[in-house]
């Protein structure tokens, strides 16, 4: 069945020089078949009157950790009282996740996806990383693969307690039996290249092993301090390097000269009280920037892309237009997808109707639920 969204006051297409005014979008099946002026819109079986409101592409959240159990509210409270964030808190989530059943994890995962959809997110990447054993990492990527094709094997999240002081032995497990078990359910391989997690040499082993198994690389790097992770990501052709809280001039130059997207995660800085990255510096230098939520129980327990957009505009030097682009087209680039992230003929029909006249209101009215309707693959899901 065809659906026409018409009388759109402002349509953010991410194609061309700017938004379209008084526009319309025709959906046929799971694809967009036509975009243009509302006055020239073709007929359709179903017509939705946007009544002058704004339409944007569905958000593409290219960094999340949604398959987990447990809660770390006490850790958040301690940080708000001045305690510094450290990677070691991940181990408490690992213990809770290992103790949970598949059905418990599956139910919580579905709940997070419903939250995201209600806030306009139509595509989400999901990482493992809270199992850290062969059987648990396999089940986390398997459960993630039930709901998204964008599954990332993150067995190299941290070294689990049973391998304390034996990090190289744990990497042997990750690049061997664990990767063997997880690869069939995954598209991506990731590593936390950071003090307290994995060294550059260990990270290289993990990424190169994943590449050899047909997985594409992405990297967590420069979250807790400067390091060599960004340059490793660029060298290996990673689709994205994520966090980038502490970047050197050399890092910025390497990213600007590469196809690697820098995915910024403003919810992390909000939750950990670390300094916000300077997105203005990055964009002006020619770095491709994406925004994502990094939904996880320790450092960024938000599933709201509108919230992340508002924080990026207020604290990171992005314009509202740049932030919306980063949360849609930027996320698509971070996933190396050319079928999502924009509103144009031939693209997947993932679109969001806002209860606002322009997309600027996503930052202008922070915390206000502005998503009026969502279409995913052409079907209205909200």
């Amino acid at each position: 069945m065809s659906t026409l969204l018409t009388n759109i006051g402002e349509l953010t297409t991410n194609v061309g020089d700017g938004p379209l005014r008084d526009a319309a979008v025709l959906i046929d099946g799971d694809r967009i078949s036509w975009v243009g002026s509302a006055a020239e819109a073709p007929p359709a079986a179903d017509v939705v009157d946007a009544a002058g409101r704004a339409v944007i592409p569905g958000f593409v959240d290219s960094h999340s950790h949604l398959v987990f159990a447990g809660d770390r509210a006490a850790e958040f409270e301690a940080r708000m009282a001045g305690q510094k964030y450290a990677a070691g808190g991940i181990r408490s989530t690992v213990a809770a996740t290992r103790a949970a059943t598949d059905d418990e994890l599956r139910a919580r995962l579905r709940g997070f996806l419903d939250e995201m959809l209600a806030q306009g997110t139509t595509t989400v990447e999901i990482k493992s990383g809270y199992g850290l054993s062969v059987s648990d990492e396999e089940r986390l990527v398997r459960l993630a693969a039930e709901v998204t094709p964008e599954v990332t094997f993150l067995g190299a999240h941290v070294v689990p307690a049973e391998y304390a002081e034996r990090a190289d032995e744990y990497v042997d497990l990750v690049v061997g039996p664990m990767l063997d078990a997880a690869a069939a359910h995954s598209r991506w391989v990731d590593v936390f290249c950071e003090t307290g997690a994995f060294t550059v040499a260990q990270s290289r082993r993990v990424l190169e092993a994943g590449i050899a198994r047909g997985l594409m690389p992405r990297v967590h790097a420069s979250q807790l301090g400067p390091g060599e992770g960004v340059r490793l990501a660029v060298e290996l052709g990673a689709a994205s390097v994520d966090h980038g809280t502490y970047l050197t001039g050399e890092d910025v130059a390497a990213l600007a000269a590469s196809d690697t997207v820098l995915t910024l995660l403003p919810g992390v800085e909000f939750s950990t009280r670390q300094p916000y990255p300077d997105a203005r510096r990055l964009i002006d230098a020619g770095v491709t920037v994406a925004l994502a939520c990094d939904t996880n129980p320790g450092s960024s327990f938000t599933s709201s892309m509108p919230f992340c957009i508002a924080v990026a505009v207020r604290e990171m030097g992005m314009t509202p237009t740049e932030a919306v682009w980063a949360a849609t087209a930027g996320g698509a680039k971070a996933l190396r997808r050319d079928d999502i992230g924009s509103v144009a003929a031939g693209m997947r029909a993932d679109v969001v109707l806002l209860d606002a006249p322009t997309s600027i209101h996503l930052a202008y009215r922070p915390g206000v639920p502005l998503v009026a309707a969502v279409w995913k693959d052409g079907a209205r899901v909200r």
Side-chain angles (χ1 to χ4, degrees):
M1 184 180 76
S2 61
T3 299
L4 180 70
L5 281 66
T6 190
N7 294 328
I8 299 168
E10 177 192 270
L11 173 62
T12 299
T13 65
N14 289 336
V15 177
D17 295 330
L20 299 180
R21 310 291 178 183
D22 301 318
V25 176
L26 182 64
I27 297 170
D28 277 316
D30 65 352
R31 299 281 170 164
I32 295 168
S33 62
W34 179 89
V35 176
S37 166
E40 300 172 354
D46 180 41
V47 177
V48 176
D49 186 353
R53 293 174 290 178
V55 168
I56 63 173
F59 295 125
V60 180
D61 193 333
S62 61
H63 185 129
S64 82
H65 305 252
L66 299 184
V67 192
F68 67 87
D71 182 271
R72 285 157 67 185
E75 182 184 316
F76 173 80
E77 183 180 36
R79 284 201 303 276
M80 296 304 102
Q83 182 174 309
K84 188 176 180 180
Y85 175 74
I90 293 167
R91 295 187 182 95
S92 65
T93 301
V94 170
T97 303
R98 288 177 174 179
T101 67
D102 281 12
D103 284 344
E104 288 169 340
L105 294 174
R106 186 179 285 114
R108 199 163 195 204
L109 170 59
R110 296 280 181 180
F112 290 136
L113 291 173
D114 287 346
E115 284 182 7
M116 290 177 155
L117 199 60
Q119 296 172 94
T121 297
T122 52
T123 301
V124 62
E125 178 263 14
I126 302 175
K127 304 178 191 296
S128 66
Y130 291 125
L132 307 188
S133 70
V134 172
S135 60
D136 283 299
E137 283 296 298
E138 186 279 336
R139 74 174 179 141
L140 297 193
V141 293
R142 173 169 43 82
L143 292 173
E146 293 178 359
V147 299
T148 182
E150 304 298 344
V151 178
T152 300
F153 168 54
L154 183 59
H157 201 182
V158 295
V159 177
E162 62 267 29
Y163 279 87
E165 310 303 325
R166 296 186 294 134
D168 285 335
E169 290 182 38
Y170 180 65
V171 173
D172 291 339
L173 181 72
V174 171
V175 302
M178 194 180 289
L179 180 58
D180 289 341
H185 305 290
S186 305
R187 184 179 182 216
W188 304 95
V189 61
D190 200 344
V191 61
F192 193 8
C193 183
E194 197 78 58
T195 300
F198 296 92
T199 67
V200 172
Q202 291 164 343
S203 299
R204 180 185 293 277
R205 283 191 65 200
V206 171
L207 296 171
E208 289 182 343
I211 292 168
R213 292 297 302 270
L215 304 184
M216 292 181 286
R218 42 201 329 109
V219 181
H220 287 59
S222 299
Q223 176 186 359
L224 306 179
E228 298 176 47
V230 170
R231 278 156 283 162
L232 176 65
V234 170
E235 176 194 337
L236 295 181
S240 74
V241 58
D242 300 12
H243 288 291
T245 309
Y246 297 92
L247 296 177
T248 67
E250 187 178 353
D251 292 333
V252 175
L255 286 165
S258 77
D259 293 328
T260 298
V261 175
L262 180 63
T263 302
L264 300 178
L265 309 167
V268 174
E269 282 74 38
F270 179 90
S271 180
T272 62
R273 284 187 167 168
Q274 292 180 269
Y276 287 99
D278 185 353
R280 180 80 275 126
R281 169 198 183 198
L282 297 165
I283 293 169
D284 289 349
V287 176
T288 301
V289 172
L291 288 177
C293 290
D294 192 9
T295 309
N296 76 85
S299 63
S300 183
F301 205 8
T302 180
S303 59
S304 174
M305 195 70 87
F307 168 77
C308 291
I309 287 170
V311 174
V313 171
R314 173 62 179 84
E315 301 290 347
M316 292 161 54
M318 300 181 85
T319 68
T321 297
E322 289 169 341
V324 171
W325 187 95
T328 53
K333 287 182 177 295
L335 294 176
R336 295 202 169 159
R337 295 278 297 272
D338 59 7
D339 61 337
I340 56 175
S342 63
V343 179
M347 302 294 287
R348 287 195 172 275
D350 295 351
V351 295
V352 174
L353 173 65
L354 299 178
D355 194 11
T358 75
S359 62
I360 296 169
H361 284 237
L362 291 166
Y364 178 45
R365 304 197 68 204
V368 178
L370 294 179
V371 174
V374 179
W375 285 261
K376 166 66 176 168
D377 291 328
R380 185 166 180 172
V381 293
R382 186 181 184 279

